[in-house]
Amino acid sequence: MNILVINCGSSSLKYRLIDIEKEHRLAKGLVERIGIEGSRIKHETTGKEEIKIEEPIEDHTKALELVLESIVHPEYGAVKSLDEIQAVGHRVVHGGEAFADSVIIDDDVMQALRDNIEIAPLHNPPNIMGIEACKKLMPDTKMVGVFDTAFHQTIPPVNYIYPIPYKYYEEHKIRVYGFHGTSHKYVTLRAAELLNKPVDEVNLITCHLGNGSSITAVKGGKSFDTSMGFTPLAGPLMGTRCGDIDPAIVTYLMDKENLTTSEINNILNKDSGALGVSGISSDFRDLENAATDGDERAQLALDIFERRVAKYIASYYGQLDHVDAIVFTAGVGENSEWNRRSIIEILGSLGLKIDHEKNKVRAKEELISAEDSSVKIFVIPTNEELMIAKETYELTK
Ligand code: AMP
């Protein structure tokens, strides 16, 4: 069974075609600059050369047309006809409180997605456009929505209610939702396999550290607390996002600098975090290089990141009655020896110890804790696309 996985942004569309039985990627690709001058598609069928086509792509329907043509192309395609695609899995950022699991997309689900636009104005509209384009071009193919928020719907009220007047939760649905759920779920399932324990018995602290970062306390295989909140702005310092700050800073800065809501939003989402502190880059590789060359603010940005991640780990460690493993994943978590070492060193008083040789690993599954570490520490590369494909397969097989 082949599953097409679609991840739509406002001007981009990423896709993967996966043979789910073999867990094998048949093709992958990216459409960029949809609706903007210079639009292009990059497509690669596994085992064949990557092709690039530049042509005007005015909307998501046109983008998807090109994707489907590429997938079945006689020369560079991956399958002979679209009949070989049994279902499509769509990444949807915000499922709100409506979805605690993936669902087959029908008219009611589409309505619920539209209802959620208010709380996810940047992310849900392009996700909806992607689904609508697919429905138009593949009307008989089943579609599944897989939500970034779904894994976190098990978080109890004590961890999801904000201490502001309760009516704002009731009237505006302001609460912790949490994001990166598909990734946290994938590494949770994989860690349970590596630990050789039933998933509902594992307690973990999963650290998805990339451009955006979130840390999750997993209790009995379920999300119990997470660092992202009402939006993906909360948590540790991120590439360009501020993470947790005193909320009074927002109104103070708006007054002082005479800022509109969209200007302050931009500052906190795009000009802050590692970029804002270092003044150099949001990319952790650049920061590591600059810090090695003696740049103090790059070093400071890394120090803040590591300390804030460590604070979350310590807080979750304290909330779980035991911890089977700490897991590092995503761009920084999978690749950065420096950041993993520094985070674990801050937590030395908990008895966490890293094996420095094993910690050199990049983008590969590895147990990186020392033998006498109080808790096992794993690097587990995330695979959100495979997780989406698996959930789609389960619902449509
Ligand atoms: P993601 O959002 O998961 O794609 O992660 C992207 C981030 O991973 C980039 O901003 C990089 O800073 C970081 N990254 C990738 N490779 C490395 C590496 N070898 N060392 C440090 N950071 C890395």
Side-chain angles (χ1 to χ4, degrees), residues 130-147:
I131 297 170
E132 279 171 346
C134 259
K135 281 177 127 184
K136 217 186 279 177
L137 299 171
M138 308 167 82
D140 300 323
T141 309
K142 281 193 179 144
M143 312 273 166
V144 169
V146 180
F147 304 93

Side-chain angles (χ1 to χ4, degrees), residues 5 28 39 45 49 57 64 70 110-111 127 131 156 161 172 174 224 258 290 324 331 338 357 365 368:
V5 176
K28 67 171 182 175
S39 34
T45 291
E49 222 169 279
I57 304 173
L64 198 69
S70 303
M110 287 308 283
Q111 191 48 50
N127 298 157
I131 297 170
I161 292 292
H172 303 302
I174 294 175
F224 177 71
N258 205 14
D324 294 295
W338 172 320
E357 248 336 281
E365 244 171 43
I368 58 164

Side-chain angles (χ1 to χ4, degrees), residues 256-291:
K256 280 276 171 204
E257 301 261 322
N258 205 14
L259 301 171
T260 63
T261 47
S262 81
E263 284 168 336
I264 189 81
N265 249 328
N266 257 330
I267 291 170
L268 301 178
N269 277 287
K270 298 192 173 147
D271 300 336
S272 296
L275 174 65
V277 173
S278 71
I280 292 179
S281 173
S282 62
D283 190 301
F284 283 76
R285 283 164 292 203
D286 296 343
L287 297 179
E288 289 178 18
N289 290 335

Side-chain angles (χ1 to χ4, degrees), residues 208-212 282-285 288 330-332 335-336 362:
H208 177 113
L209 309 179
N211 234 324
S282 62
D283 190 301
F284 283 76
R285 283 164 292 203
E288 289 178 18
V332 178
N335 293 296
S336 174
R362 281 205 178 160

